[in-house]
Amino acid sequence: MQSNSIKTLISVVGPTAIGKTAMAIQLAQHFHTEIISSDSRQFFKEMEIGTAKPSPEELATAKHHFIDSHSVAKLFSTGDFEQEALKTLEEIYSKRDVAIMVGGSGLYVNALLNGLDEMPEIDLAIREELNKKFEIEGLAAIQLQLAALDPEYFAKVDQNNPQRMIRGLEVFLSTGKKLSSMLSATKKVRPFKVIKLGLNTDRAVLYDRINRRVDLMIENGLVEEVKSLIPYRSYNALNTVGYSEIFDYLDGKTNLADAISAIKQNTRRFAKRQLTWFRRDDEITWFEPNELNKIITYIKDKI
């Protein structure tokens, strides 16, 4: 029977390849509950190998939400995630007192924990113009313009994500106001308690895990997967580490060894940016990825 005690969301974050999936599954098994994935690349059913999704065996050990839930052909925004994840949580809480959220996509984690601000109307002609500029002049031109107009937003988000860069620019050019000034610090009140956990380890160990994971992706057929996604390559979801580099190889811009090496380097940079993002939140308590018992004790104390 379900108790009336306050509901708890355990949020597990950290850099890519640190072992968040394994930890979330162990916690879900311990607390007999379900997992919400806040990894923005694992939503897409067409992308399997390059997103390091939980394996079918892992998925069978704990119920996951937001894995293979959407198509790359359909835009799935942070706002959509916030709404859908809140509904999913409500369903989990009708049966359980605890739920787990796991993922390294800071904006999506933030959307569920703190809510998003109402965003202004965008002039669609400006968006179209910026998309054209991106196609013709490349990302560097967009980055340069945004860095000049809204340096605060530019410093805060993933500078290699064209969608985020264009978003910052289109808001400024449509409204004359900086997007950074609209991302208010006011949190929405959530009807559940949040326990924030971060996983991290020695940098050399993490980088070794990243390199080995990339080698495994190649072994498992990443090149074939990317080939099969050529019809979708214009979609923003595929403009991401692990996919862009293989597209470059398939386009003859680079050889396979260099493409693999670029994936490793770009993934290490991505991990560094994730850590920078999550370290700004002083409510996160950090653990090594093998400290399951310590983490369970910590959670029980908090609950």
Side-chain angles (χ1 to χ4, degrees):
M1 203 175 100
Q2 200 49 20
S3 69
N4 293 321
S5 61
I6 189 151
K7 308 299 181 185
T8 302
L9 179 64
I10 299 164
S11 168
V12 182
V13 299
T16 189
I18 191 69
K20 296 185 295 294
T21 296
M23 177 58 71
I25 288 170
Q26 288 172 307
L27 292 175
Q29 288 175 323
H30 183 88
F31 291 100
H32 307 291
T33 190
E34 300 171 15
I35 297 170
I36 286 178
S37 169
S38 57
D39 183 317
S40 64
R41 299 171 357 136
Q42 294 184 354
F43 303 147
F44 301 114
K45 43 180 170 263
E46 296 84 355
M47 299 159 72
E48 191 70 43
I49 299 165
T51 59
K53 279 179 188 158
S55 66
E57 295 74 33
E58 286 175 318
L59 290 171
T61 58
K63 185 168 182 182
H64 284 69
H65 301 268
F66 300 99
I67 300 238
D68 291 336
S69 52
H70 293 76
S71 166
V72 292
K74 192 172 173 287
L75 190 70
F76 184 58
S77 69
T78 38
D80 297 331
F81 174 72
E82 179 191 8
Q83 296 311 316
E84 288 186 27
L86 283 171
K87 270 189 214 137
T88 304
L89 267 184
E90 227 170 273
E91 286 162 28
I92 297 172
Y93 287 145
S94 69
K95 308 167 283 191
R96 305 271 179 260
D97 284 336
V98 174
I100 316 278
M101 172 168 68
V102 63
S105 305
L107 286 168
Y108 289 80
V109 173
N110 187 55
L112 182 54
L113 298 185
N114 304 319
L116 295 166
D117 296 297
E118 294 304 314
M119 282 293 134
E121 285 296 306
I122 295 302
D123 182 337
L124 292 178
I126 289 176
R127 176 176 291 175
E128 216 167 290
E129 223 170 88
L130 289 171
N131 280 319
K132 262 194 208 126
K133 179 175 179 155
F134 170 57
E135 271 171 47
I136 297 162
E137 299 175 45
L139 184 58
I142 301 284
Q143 289 168 329
L144 208 63
Q145 194 179 355
L146 180 62
L149 294 174
D150 190 349
E152 295 83 5
Y153 177 76
F154 179 76
K156 198 166 143 182
V157 296
D158 178 359
Q159 292 162 8
N160 290 314
N161 183 324
Q163 199 180 4
R164 302 255 177 271
M165 296 287 102
I166 289 170
R167 182 73 181 137
L169 264 186
E170 69 183 11
V171 168
F172 186 86
L173 297 173
S174 298
T175 67
K177 292 181 184 150
K178 296 178 179 184
L179 181 51
S180 57
S181 69
M182 296 176 193
L183 299 169
S184 77
T186 54
K187 293 179 180 183
K188 288 184 186 169
V189 177
R190 295 299 193 211
F192 48 82
K193 176 180 175 171
V194 178
I195 297 173
K196 299 180 183 181
L197 311 173
L199 299 182
N200 194 19
T201 190
D202 177 70
R203 183 176 284 190
V205 175
L206 176 64
Y207 285 1
D208 181 55
R209 287 177 85 137
I210 287 171
N211 293 343
R212 280 186 302 169
R213 178 189 269 187
V214 173
D215 289 335
L216 198 61
M217 285 174 178
I218 297 294
E219 252 172 68
N220 289 342
L222 180 62
V223 175
E224 294 311 309
E225 174 169 274
V226 177
K227 269 184 197 161
S228 75
L229 292 170
I230 287 172
Y232 299 102
R233 70 179 294 178
S234 62
Y235 292 113
N236 190 60
L238 283 159
N239 198 336
T240 183
V241 179
Y243 291 84
S244 335
E245 298 87 349
I246 300 293
F247 280 131
D248 281 350
Y249 159 64
L250 296 174
D251 291 343
K253 291 180 187 168
T254 182
N255 62 44
L256 185 56
D258 287 347
I260 294 168
S261 159
I263 295 174
K264 290 176 179 176
Q265 185 181 29
N266 291 333
T267 307
R268 292 193 298 266
R269 284 181 183 151
F270 175 56
K272 216 171 153 185
R273 285 198 304 275
Q274 285 175 303
L275 281 167
T276 302
W277 172 285
F278 290 123
R279 281 198 180 119
R280 291 202 309 259
D281 185 346
D282 53 15
E283 291 174 4
I284 295 174
T285 302
W286 293 88
F287 296 90
E288 285 279 335
N290 58 0
E291 295 186 312
L292 176 66
N293 294 336
K294 203 171 165 183
I295 288 173
I296 288 172
T297 305
Y298 174 79
I299 292 168
K300 285 181 170 169
D301 285 348
K302 284 279 184 184
I303 289 177

